[in-house]
Amino acid sequence: MPIITSPEAYHEEELYLDLRPSLGHPLYLKCEGFNLAGSIKLKAATAMVEAAERDGLLGPGSILVESSSGNLGVALGMLAAAKGYHFVCVTDSRCNPGTRRAIEALGNEVHVVTEPTLTGGLLGARLDHVRALCAADERYVWLNQYRNANSWQAHYHSTAPAIAKAFPDLGTLFVGAGTTGTLMGCARYFRAWHRPVRIVAVDTVGSVVFGGRPGPRNLPGLGASVRPPLLDESFVDDVVLVEEPDTIETCHRLARRGFLLGASTGTVVCGAGRWLSAHSGDGAAVAIAPDLGERYLDTVYQPDWIRDRYGEDALTPPENVPAQR
């Protein structure tokens, strides 16, 4: 029986979902939401905070500040509360209401940016806000997940080896792209593995991560309006772009099979299914699920929210969901 004294001490059991009955394709989903922070971001948050402490950047009186669409904010909020730091999360209007409440419940502040910059969108506005806070008060410590190598190293040393151990016959790995920390950590690990693995990145339409045209995006998590400094495209074999209504449809389809998953996960599963429909290959296919669905009950799983942003056609009535295979 594990007994812990702080959030980062808990490492979830390895859990994989077999999505063949739901998706119609052989795909295993590595669920990363079963930790106290509820998402894969606890790994990056822990690695960045511990590195900042080792380097002497964090100490008594420090105020952590970070730009986050939500999940990293919750993870940093937990760590800050456990370690005695104050934390300011800078997010934007797309952040799920439940996520904001969770960060605040941990005793932290949430600053919500509503006006995008001309070239950097809402992410650019968030980064400008963080820089302004740091310039005004030297107590602020910005971990900068967008450039912090500890972010991808956390997955190089944990996420990727766990997948390799569970699937020694791994052929294709699907990873969502946001800051690209998870993507780069896993891609770098499997580039050096004993057998080739195809790395397929999944991004959202409207994101500029892989050079796409910027466009409106309503869902937090994957995608970005600023190209991630961590990204090295030479480690990526293919890219799939997913429209947000397709993410919504996938989330609802999986929920009606009993799997309540987050929007980032819905995007990755949708992209993986599309890729598997068009390609064949050897070895197991695995996708990484960053989070679960509870924080999206006010958005992805709320019919009025969906209608307001995507129209009536984005909703998939239960009777139209294909029968289970």
Side-chain angles (χ1 to χ4, degrees), residues 126-181:
R126 280 161 39 189
L127 297 179
D128 286 348
H129 188 84
V130 171
R131 294 187 185 102
L133 290 174
C134 293
D137 191 333
E138 63 182 10
R139 293 177 300 166
Y140 282 96
V141 177
W142 180 22
L143 299 175
N144 197 351
Q145 63 164 326
Y146 309 99
R147 293 183 178 274
N148 196 319
N150 293 286
S151 173
W152 68 260
Q153 289 171 6
H155 301 287
Y156 184 96
H157 293 296
S158 62
T159 309
I163 294 172
K165 181 179 179 180
F167 296 92
D169 64 335
L170 181 67
T172 307
L173 179 66
F174 299 93
V175 189
T179 64
T180 68

Side-chain angles (χ1 to χ4, degrees), residues 145-149 151-152 175-185 187-188 199-203 207-212 223-224 226-239:
Q145 63 164 326
Y146 309 99
R147 293 183 178 274
N148 196 319
S151 173
W152 68 260
V175 189
T179 64
T180 68
T182 306
L183 174 63
M184 286 294 96
R188 290 175 185 273
I199 303 296
V200 180
V202 183
D203 195 11
S207 166
V208 306
V209 171
F210 293 97
V226 176
R227 182 178 170 84
L230 294 178
L231 176 63
D232 184 341
E233 290 189 57
S234 68
F235 288 93
V236 178
D237 297 300
D238 208 349
V239 178

Side-chain angles (χ1 to χ4, degrees), residues 8-25:
E8 73 273 21
Y10 175 72
H11 301 280
E12 72 261 35
E13 297 292 331
E14 292 295 318
L15 176 62
Y16 296 86
L17 301 180
D18 183 352
L19 293 185
R20 185 193 296 262
S22 302
L23 197 64
H25 298 286

Side-chain angles (χ1 to χ4, degrees), residues 7 37 39 41-43 45-46 70-80 106:
S39 81
K41 288 293 188 177
L42 182 58
K43 293 179 178 179
T46 300
N71 283 332
L72 182 69
V74 174
L76 286 175
M78 284 190 166
L79 294 178
L106 292 161

Side-chain angles (χ1 to χ4, degrees), residues 71-281:
N71 283 332
L72 182 69
V74 174
L76 286 175
M78 284 190 166
L79 294 178
K83 292 173 175 288
Y85 303 121
H86 188 60
F87 172 55
V88 176
C89 179
V90 180
T91 189
D92 59 59
S93 51
R94 295 170 298 183
C95 183
N96 295 318
T99 301
R100 295 201 299 265
R101 291 194 295 269
I103 297 170
E104 291 169 338
L106 292 161
N108 306 295
E109 291 182 53
V110 178
H111 295 187
V112 181
V113 171
T114 58
E115 295 297 326
T117 62
L118 289 177
T119 57
L122 287 169
L123 175 55
R126 280 161 39 189
L127 297 179
D128 286 348
H129 188 84
V130 171
R131 294 187 185 102
L133 290 174
C134 293
D137 191 333
E138 63 182 10
R139 293 177 300 166
Y140 282 96
V141 177
W142 180 22
L143 299 175
N144 197 351
Q145 63 164 326
Y146 309 99
R147 293 183 178 274
N148 196 319
N150 293 286
S151 173
W152 68 260
Q153 289 171 6
H155 301 287
Y156 184 96
H157 293 296
S158 62
T159 309
I163 294 172
K165 181 179 179 180
F167 296 92
D169 64 335
L170 181 67
T172 307
L173 179 66
F174 299 93
V175 189
T179 64
T180 68
T182 306
L183 174 63
M184 286 294 96
C186 291
R188 290 175 185 273
Y189 179 90
F190 284 113
R191 176 65 63 87
W193 206 35
H194 64 87
R195 62 188 307 274
V197 173
R198 287 177 297 277
I199 303 296
V200 180
V202 183
D203 195 11
T204 61
V205 172
S207 166
V208 306
V209 171
F210 293 97
R213 179 178 298 180
R217 292 178 295 113
N218 295 296
L219 298 174
L222 300 188
S225 53
V226 176
R227 182 178 170 84
L230 294 178
L231 176 63
D232 184 341
E233 290 189 57
S234 68
F235 288 93
V236 178
D237 297 300
D238 208 349
V239 178
V240 181
L241 298 180
V242 176
E243 297 270 6
E244 288 190 343
D246 294 332
T247 292
I248 300 290
E249 189 277 331
T250 300
C251 286
H252 283 243
R253 178 152 49 97
L254 291 171
R256 292 188 180 102
R257 297 284 181 255
F259 303 130
L260 189 67
L261 300 167
S264 297
T265 300
T267 302
V268 173
V269 171
C270 181
R274 187 176 302 166
W275 192 93
L276 291 169
S277 295
H279 300 80
S280 60

